[in-house]
Amino acid sequence: MKRILLTLVVLMTFAVASQGQEAGNRIYDRSQGRPDKPSNGIVTTTENKDLIPVQHIEAYVLLNVPPDEFIAVFGVAQEGADAGQSNTKVDALIDNFIAAAGRLGVKREDIYVDFITQNRIYNFVPETSGTIREKLTGFETKKTIAVRYRDRALLEKLLAAAARASIFDLIKVDYIIKDQAPLRARLLEAASQIIRQKEDNYNRLLNLKLKRSAVATERYETNYPGELYRSYTAYESGSVDNNYSSNAARVIRERKSSSAYLDPLDSSIFDVVINPLGVEPMIQCTLYLKVRYAGQ
C-alpha cells in the first residue's frame, strides 16, 4: 500500500557584488564561516606566567567601502579532434569577446587571457566483437579571461558580449581596493575612540581605576561580496513510501533550481559601523582591537 505524505522541505546550503550575478559561478563550490562575535566589553583573564588576573577592553568596528574597480573572470572551454584544433576554437571565441569588449570601452591592457589546462578526452567506443573499449577521442582546452572595469553597470554589457561570443561561464567578480592603508588607519582611529570611551565609562560609572598597559590583539579582516553570497534551494515536495515491494513504482524526481543571495555581515555585532551599508554590496573591512589594562 502506498502512502504519500506531503511535507514542506526548505533546504538552505551555505556556498564569496550589486546583483546576484556578480557572485559568479563560484558560489556552487564554497562553504564559508561567519566571523565570531567578540564580547565588546571588559574581559577578565589570567596570564599563565604568574596567574595574575588582567583585564581587557575590546572594540569591534566595521567600515563599508565601495570598490575602486572590478575584475570579472570568464571561463572558456572547447573540444577538438587534436590539441591544435581545440586551442584554435578557444582563441576564436576569446578574440570575438575581446573585440566586443573593446567596443564597450575596455582597453586591451585591462584584459588578460590565462591558459588553464589542456586535457585529453576519452570515451567508450563499441567494437565489432561486442567489447566496449575506452579510447582517446579528442582534446579540450580551457582558458580564462580577466576583464578590469570601473563602472559597475558595464558588467551587464560584458555578459551580453560574452554570450554572443558563446562564452557563458562567469566564474567570479572581484572587488578591488587600491590602497587599504587609509582604511586601516580610519578603523584604528574609530576603535581607539571606542576603547577610550569605554574606559571613561567604567571609571566614571563603576569606579574602576584602569590603566592601559599594552595592545593585546589587533586583527584586521576584509570581507569581499563574492565571499558573502549564500546559495539555497527552496521547494515543496512529497514523500513517497513504496514499502520496498517488488512491484513498487519507480520514483523520478524533478530537478530543483538553486539560487543565491548576498548575506552581508550583521551590523549589530559591531560597536560602530562607518558608512552604513545601502542597497549595493560593498567591501566590508573590520578591526577587532583588544587593549590590556592593569589596575591602579
Side-chain angles (χ1 to χ4, degrees):
M1 178 179 180
K2 301 179 182 179
R3 293 181 304 169
I4 301 179
L5 304 176
L6 182 62
T7 59
L8 176 65
V9 181
V10 179
L11 301 179
M12 298 292 294
T13 56
F14 289 95
V16 115
S18 69
Q19 302 161 355
Q21 67 194 30
E22 291 195 16
N25 291 337
R26 63 178 170 182
I27 64 172
Y28 292 104
D29 185 25
R30 178 174 58 250
S31 178
Q32 294 286 339
R34 306 294 286 175
D36 293 332
K37 177 181 177 181
S39 61
N40 290 347
I42 189 165
V43 181
T44 301
T45 58
T46 302
E47 302 218 347
N48 294 330
K49 180 179 178 181
D50 45 17
L51 297 181
I52 297 177
V54 295
Q55 294 175 321
H56 299 88
I57 294 181
E58 303 171 313
Y60 199 23
V61 183
L62 169 63
L63 171 61
N64 293 305
V65 184
D68 297 315
E69 56 189 23
F70 308 85
I71 296 180
V73 180
F74 296 86
V76 189
Q78 286 291 300
E79 297 180 7
D82 54 53
Q85 186 181 94
S86 64
N87 188 66
T88 299
K89 292 169 69 174
V90 165
D91 288 343
L93 300 184
I94 292 175
D95 289 343
N96 290 337
F97 174 69
I98 291 176
R103 292 191 290 270
L104 294 174
V106 180
K107 299 178 180 179
R108 184 60 183 87
E109 55 266 29
D110 289 330
I111 301 176
Y112 181 77
V113 178
D114 189 13
F115 177 84
I116 301 302
T117 186
Q118 188 167 269
N119 299 319
R120 295 179 176 88
I121 299 175
Y122 291 87
N123 211 335
F124 292 98
V125 179
E127 298 181 345
T128 55
S129 62
T131 303
I132 299 178
R133 187 181 302 276
E134 188 176 23
K135 292 184 178 181
L136 176 67
T137 57
F139 289 81
E140 181 183 48
T141 300
K142 296 180 181 179
K143 297 183 181 182
T144 60
I145 315 168
V147 183
R148 179 170 55 197
Y149 59 97
R150 293 162 186 83
D151 181 7
R152 185 193 298 267
L154 187 61
L155 180 61
E156 288 281 357
K157 298 178 181 179
L158 288 172
L159 284 169
R164 288 192 295 269
S166 297
I167 298 173
F168 306 104
D169 186 9
L170 173 62
I171 299 174
K172 65 174 182 175
V173 177
D174 288 332
Y175 281 44
I176 306 300
I177 298 176
K178 292 183 178 180
D179 187 4
Q180 292 202 19
L183 304 179
R184 292 196 170 193
R186 189 176 180 184
L187 284 167
L188 181 58
E189 181 179 357
S192 300
Q193 290 177 355
I194 293 170
I195 294 290
R196 291 194 298 268
Q197 183 62 55
K198 288 182 178 182
E199 176 188 331
D200 292 340
N201 290 339
Y202 293 139
N203 289 341
R204 178 172 53 87
L205 300 175
L206 301 176
N207 197 30
L208 296 177
K209 303 303 180 182
L210 301 173
K211 180 180 180 180
R212 292 186 294 270
S213 62
V215 173
T217 304
E218 183 180 352
R219 184 176 71 245
Y220 294 91
E221 292 182 351
T222 303
N223 299 272
Y224 293 93
E227 302 167 348
L228 299 175
Y229 274 90
R230 302 290 176 256
S231 67
Y232 73 95
T233 304
Y235 60 91
E236 294 184 4
S237 182
S239 177
V240 180
D241 182 6
N242 288 324
N243 294 324
Y244 301 100
S245 60
S246 58
N247 59 349
R250 185 176 59 168
V251 177
I252 301 177
R253 300 185 183 276
E254 292 288 339
R255 181 179 66 88
K256 279 76 176 181
S257 176
S258 63
S259 186
Y261 66 98
L262 182 67
D263 187 19
L265 301 180
D266 182 3
S267 61
S268 66
I269 70 175
F270 297 94
D271 289 291
V272 67
V273 176
I274 306 172
N275 190 22
L277 193 65
V279 295
E280 292 187 356
M282 293 187 180
I283 302 168
Q284 297 191 291
C285 303
T286 67
L287 168 61
Y288 171 64
L289 182 66
K290 182 165 69 172
V291 177
R292 183 184 185 276
Y293 283 78
Q296 293 181 335

